[in-house]
Amino acid sequence: MSSVLKKTATDARAERTLRTELFERYGCGPVQFSGNPNASYERHLVLDHVVKPGNASAREVFEALARSLRDLIAQRWLKTGETCDRENPKQVYYLSMEFLIGRSTSNNLLNLLVEPFVREEMARRGVDLDRLDDEEPDAGLGNGGLGRLAACFIDSMATLAIPAIGYGLRYEYGIFRQEIQGGRQVERPDNWLRRPDPWEVDRPAEAVDVRLQCAVQSRRGTPVLVADRPTLLRGVPYDRPVVGHGGRTVNTLRLWGAAATDAFDFAEFSAGDFFGAVHEKVVAENLTRVLYPDDSTTAGRGLRFAQEYFLVCCSLADIVRRFRARGNDWGALPDKVAVQLNDTHPALAVAELMRILLDGAGLGWDESWDLTVRTLAYTNHTLLPEALETWPVRRFELVAPRLLEIVYEINRRFLDEVRAKSPGDDGLAARVSLIEEGPEKKVRMAHLAVVGSYSTNGVAALHSRLLRETVLKDLAGLFPGRFNNKTNGVTPRRWLLLANPGLAALLTKAVGDGWVTELERLGAIAPLADDPAFRERFRAAKRAAKVRFADWLRSATGEVVEPASLFDVQIKRIHEYKRQLLNVLHVLVLYNRLRENPALDAPPRTVFFAGKAAPACHLAKVIIHLVNNVAAVIDADPAARGRLKVLFLPEYNVTLAQRLIPAADLSEQISTAGYEASGTSNMKFMMNGALTVGTRDGATIEMAEASGEQNFFLFGLTAEQVANSRGWYSPFWHVEHDPETRLALDLIRSGTFDLGEPGVFAPVLDALLAQGDRYMHLADLTSYVNAQEQVVALYGQPDAWARKAILNVAHSGRFSSDRTIAEYAADVCGAGPCPVD
Ligand code: 26V
């Protein structure tokens, strides 16, 4: 929680005015200075915690402060809802199985614009705001990019005053916590709700009942679904405020928690099985207990489908209730409601909305279908075939047979049309069918989403094109008008203003604070790239961010890094296609060079890795182990001391990203071209003044276009080259012809990094050689090493480096999620702002 509004003497009056204005806006002040005891922080300490302010623990202070900030929000939150009920605007509903929101308190404090006042008031009470941050756990309700994007989007919608509700699940356990033991990843449960969360408001009165055709039972401790035991589950809403910047609009993130209904155990009760009944009640609540990691094998995914069904049923019931409560007729559904499906995870919405319109509203098929298709829109986030969801028909039968009936009927009518359009082309019908035939029939969720919605978008230009030309080619041929691109963005509030106060202050000084909500205004600093004085201030801000990170790292982990070294950073989920291994191979090339030539002229470099491996993904876990062992061996070698350091930071989460990204000099975006749908950390690095070494993949292509390729270190095969060389590519050619590649691989093979476990990294060599190097690491290694040499050359010219970094910041404006949301609003859902007065 850093100071965002820096004070000068002449600002004093303006500050008083702002203070008055803000308190009028919120109806009260957060601490005691408004004189409104209902909103006071002390009141929460004494009445909620029954503790004397002087004796309160840090956690109690944190909770009381957060609750007093919630008091501040309450009036605006109510007013936002009232305004929407009165104006009846088109409302956006964002359905997502993941919202990776991170911490709320510092972000809300900042968006409310009261941070400087609260800081002062708390300091007067002897409390340092920054020390309270760590009392709040990260809300890790997501796996990675897809979940974090959802969080950035709801921030932008609130800032743009777009009437929007995010719908998700209230997992009691978020993404697992990562520990490193003996170099290996160990997963620990993330019980983030162990202590009460001051930001959530439960609303049992708005609970929704969901019918399942099966029961949730427990078999040897694991929850399983038992067929033909119709069950009623209750979805209880837990609302979180989503504060738009400036605090005028406060939207809602509504997370559903599963509970048993009162009628749940009636049968067992009357049979006298008291413990059995209570046990089942507890088991019912398992449904939203845990977030599934993104790789889960079918065996372990039993509840995931039921979770998706539960999210869809609760959310659509709520959406329809709101729609009807505003007095709308069914025919107006597409004019008043836009439902955005975040990937196929909530794609059951197609069938469930049909069910509501057919069975609930009593409309006919054609009208129901027309309304459904015109209400729903779908975003695809991956081209990886193994990540495209399909669900066995058996699972539908088990959980929701009526939805299966509807899917079959949608498919029957759809295939009739396809055959009528292209008679005789049976291949086409089989390829586009919603059902995948085979030993086990499955529903193709992406096909269901495309056929049942009016818009399908990819998340960067290249990804959207590949979607149309490859995985969804046939469907794109049938519905050309539905396909479009919406390049991702990130919120500059959290990722620049909050994460990097030093750079934020410099930018505000240069162009005013309008950039916070209109990031394109940063374009105005482009000419300053040629101003030596500005460059010096920019470099000072980066240096300060590096020192700040190094200080934090030392105090939190004991690790020591040298802020003068080049901070080279790759942080993201560990996955073969993201090619952390390519980065490791480059490190080994550098290490070999240093051992070969101790007098080598190269700047000291610290290579940071962070990211979680899916628990069942063996190779990803071996990669983490390798990084840790390489780090240990290099650390122990005098040849590398002070020149090369590798560090794997455990437990990568939103907060760690906020700390590390501002400190980065170099951003690693090195996926195999054609595989990273967009990437979003790439944008965060860019706006924080890092330079990018990257492939022509995802949104990185558009970032380089925006700032000029001369300001980027692009390398490697293009997506086309990757696709075209699939047939003949052989990693062995590179082993034979590229000496440094061979040496790097030899170093792994030699057992240098095995540390007492011979052969432990054989799976890495196997993937890179015997299995054909699916992600073409070796094909790109030489060109990557060359790009890194250019990095080094430029780093040796601090002024030239700063110039390019400034130009990158200046051209990062397009990558604000405000721009993405404005594009969705204009071209996809047709929703506009509904300002709250
Ligand atoms: C798949 C599964 C499968 C089973 C259980 C849970 C689960 C959760 C997530 C996924 C797929 C995740 C796809 C994803 O995160 N895509 C990323 O989306 C980002 C936002 O659009 C984008 O920037 C990244 O490039 C893309 O990889």
Side-chain angles (χ1 to χ4, degrees), residues 567-834:
F567 279 13
D568 173 345
V569 184
Q570 188 174 21
I571 45 177
K572 48 186 80 249
R573 287 300 291 255
I574 311 293
H575 196 290
E576 225 190 324
Y577 84 80
K578 295 180 189 278
R579 295 203 298 193
Q580 280 89 0
L581 274 181
L582 183 60
N583 192 342
V584 171
L585 289 173
H586 170 246
V587 166
L588 297 186
V589 167
L590 292 184
Y591 183 43
N592 276 330
R593 286 181 186 176
L594 278 176
R595 294 197 309 168
E596 185 67 23
N597 175 13
L600 191 79
D601 180 26
R605 186 193 283 251
T606 309
V607 185
F608 295 93
F609 289 85
K612 294 177 182 176
C617 184
H618 181 61
L619 186 62
K621 293 179 123 177
V622 175
I623 293 171
I624 290 178
H625 192 188
L626 178 63
V627 171
N628 279 304
N629 284 12
V630 166
V633 168
I634 289 182
D635 250 358
D637 188 341
R641 192 145 310 144
R643 317 200 58 190
L644 178 61
K645 182 172 178 64
V646 176
L647 204 53
F648 185 91
L649 303 174
E651 182 52 14
Y652 179 50
N653 60 15
V654 172
T655 297
L656 181 57
Q658 286 174 215
R659 293 187 202 284
L660 183 50
I661 290 172
D665 293 304
L666 187 64
S667 155
E668 299 271 355
Q669 306 299 332
I670 59 178
S671 51
T672 314
Y675 285 88
E676 188 68 270
S678 161
T680 41
S681 75
N682 45 2
M683 304 165 182
K684 297 165 195 166
F685 281 109
M686 184 188 193
M687 54 185 73
N688 278 280
L691 295 187
T692 305
V693 60
T695 45
R696 290 175 177 80
D697 201 12
T700 302
I701 299 176
E702 291 159 70
M703 288 162 40
E705 253 167 38
S707 82
E709 288 205 1
Q710 69 284 4
N711 297 317
F712 261 64
F713 301 103
L714 292 180
F715 71 93
L717 300 177
T718 62
E720 272 63 41
Q721 289 168 329
V722 167
N724 293 336
S725 54
R726 279 255 169 256
W728 50 262
Y729 169 67
S730 162
F732 295 101
W733 189 93
H734 296 278
V735 178
E736 271 168 41
H737 293 84
D738 308 333
E740 292 203 289
T741 300
R742 186 167 58 246
L743 280 174
L745 292 169
D746 282 348
L747 199 56
I748 300 177
R749 192 176 298 111
S750 70
T752 306
F753 307 111
D754 290 359
L755 304 184
E757 295 180 82
V760 65
F761 298 121
V764 167
L765 295 171
D766 220 47
L768 292 177
L769 298 167
Q771 288 173 35
D773 188 15
R774 176 167 174 211
Y775 293 103
M776 302 199 179
H777 297 79
L778 302 196
D780 276 349
L781 181 56
T782 303
S783 120
Y784 179 49
V785 171
N786 289 339
Q788 288 281 10
E789 276 166 12
Q790 289 166 29
V791 168
V792 166
L794 193 71
Y795 198 70
Q797 304 162 252
D799 246 9
W801 181 284
R803 189 178 165 277
K804 286 191 200 279
I806 292 166
L807 290 174
N808 268 277
V809 176
H811 295 114
S812 65
R814 198 172 116 65
F815 304 101
S816 164
S817 45
D818 298 346
R819 187 267 313 148
T820 316
I821 289 299
E823 284 181 10
Y824 271 104
D827 325 338
V828 179
C829 63
C834 179

Side-chain angles (χ1 to χ4, degrees), residues 67 70 77 170 196-207 235-241 252-257 259:
R67 292 301 293 266
R70 212 186 77 186
W77 202 359
R170 181 180 180 268
D197 186 315
W199 289 106
E200 68 176 13
V201 182
D202 62 329
R203 302 199 187 277
E206 293 180 43
V236 180
Y238 291 81
D239 289 353
R240 307 179 69 89
T252 299
L253 171 58
R254 172 160 279 200
L255 302 178
W256 300 100

Side-chain angles (χ1 to χ4, degrees), residues 371-486:
L371 295 177
T372 296
V373 171
R374 291 199 291 127
T375 300
L376 304 179
Y378 156 57
T379 304
N380 172 287
H381 294 269
T382 181
L383 297 167
L384 283 180
E386 62 265 36
L388 291 178
E389 271 192 311
T390 56
W391 285 112
V393 159
R394 278 274 311 130
R395 222 149 253 294
F396 272 75
E397 280 164 352
L398 186 65
V399 176
R402 175 67 180 132
L403 295 198
L404 182 62
E405 260 175 33
I406 291 174
V407 168
Y408 277 148
E409 182 58 14
I410 294 171
N411 199 36
R412 190 187 65 76
R413 290 169 180 249
F414 168 55
L415 293 184
D416 278 353
E417 273 177 38
V418 171
R419 290 195 194 97
K421 259 199 209 161
S422 316
D425 192 348
D426 284 347
L428 178 65
R431 291 197 302 277
V432 297
S433 173
L434 307 191
I435 308 296
E436 179 185 294
E437 303 292 340
E440 193 181 26
K441 268 201 198 184
K442 290 175 175 169
V443 179
R444 295 165 168 155
M445 302 303 279
H447 291 207
L448 177 62
V450 173
V451 172
S453 67
Y454 64 92
S455 166
T456 293
N457 75 279
V459 288
L462 172 69
H463 169 237
S464 296
R465 179 166 71 75
L466 293 176
L467 208 53
R468 270 197 317 266
E469 293 176 355
T470 62
V471 277
L472 298 180
K473 183 166 187 270
D474 292 308
L475 285 169
L478 292 170
F479 305 108
R482 289 187 186 178
F483 282 72
N484 65 95
N485 174 57
K486 294 288 165 286

Side-chain angles (χ1 to χ4, degrees), residues 98 143 145-146 292-294 304 345 381 459 488 577 676-679:
E98 306 193 3
N143 273 283
L146 169 143
Y292 276 85
D294 68 6
R304 166 81 184 186
H345 314 155
H381 294 269
V459 288
N488 283 165
Y577 84 80
E676 188 68 270
S678 161

Side-chain angles (χ1 to χ4, degrees), residues 122-325:
M122 294 303 281
R124 202 166 295 156
R125 291 162 172 78
V127 176
D128 176 0
L129 218 43
D130 296 329
R131 301 181 69 131
L132 291 184
D133 271 359
D134 288 340
E135 296 301 322
E136 181 176 2
D138 259 46
L141 309 183
N143 273 283
L146 169 143
R148 183 53 233 175
L149 185 75
C152 284
F153 278 3
I154 55 176
D155 175 281
S156 282
M157 288 191 283
T159 296
L160 294 172
I162 292 177
I165 296 182
Y167 283 109
L169 293 183
R170 181 180 180 268
Y171 305 109
E172 246 163 77
Y173 294 84
I175 182 75
F176 63 86
R177 289 179 61 85
Q178 179 192 56
E179 285 177 14
I180 301 298
Q181 287 177 12
R184 290 182 161 90
Q185 168 174 300
V186 176
E187 299 95 25
R188 299 266 173 247
D190 163 46
N191 190 0
W192 74 291
L193 287 172
R194 193 175 44 240
R195 289 182 289 202
D197 186 315
W199 289 106
E200 68 176 13
V201 182
D202 62 329
R203 302 199 187 277
E206 293 180 43
V208 172
D209 285 349
V210 175
R211 192 167 295 282
L212 267 70
Q213 191 55 29
C214 55
V216 186
Q217 287 189 350
S218 170
R219 294 263 162 85
R220 275 179 261 113
T222 313
V224 291
L225 302 179
V226 178
D228 300 323
R229 286 275 316 273
T231 309
L232 212 51
L233 275 188
R234 178 157 294 172
V236 180
Y238 291 81
D239 289 353
R240 307 179 69 89
V242 183
V243 183
H245 190 72
R248 291 178 192 277
T249 295
V250 180
N251 281 339
T252 299
L253 171 58
R254 172 160 279 200
L255 302 178
W256 300 100
T261 60
D262 299 336
F264 190 82
D265 45 9
F266 187 72
E268 272 85 349
F269 244 168
S270 45
D273 182 6
F274 173 72
F275 283 101
V278 173
H279 179 67
E280 273 202 38
K281 218 171 150 67
V282 172
V283 171
E285 289 160 16
N286 276 334
L287 192 60
T288 51
R289 197 81 74 195
V290 56
L291 166 77
Y292 276 85
D294 68 6
D295 74 323
S296 316
T297 45
T298 334
R301 281 176 61 183
L303 284 190
R304 166 81 184 186
F305 181 76
Q307 282 187 342
E308 295 183 355
Y309 175 68
F310 184 72
L311 169 68
V312 162
C313 288
C314 293
S315 309
L316 281 180
D318 204 43
I319 290 167
V320 163
R321 181 185 56 74
R322 286 167 197 273
F323 170 75
R324 297 294 280 173

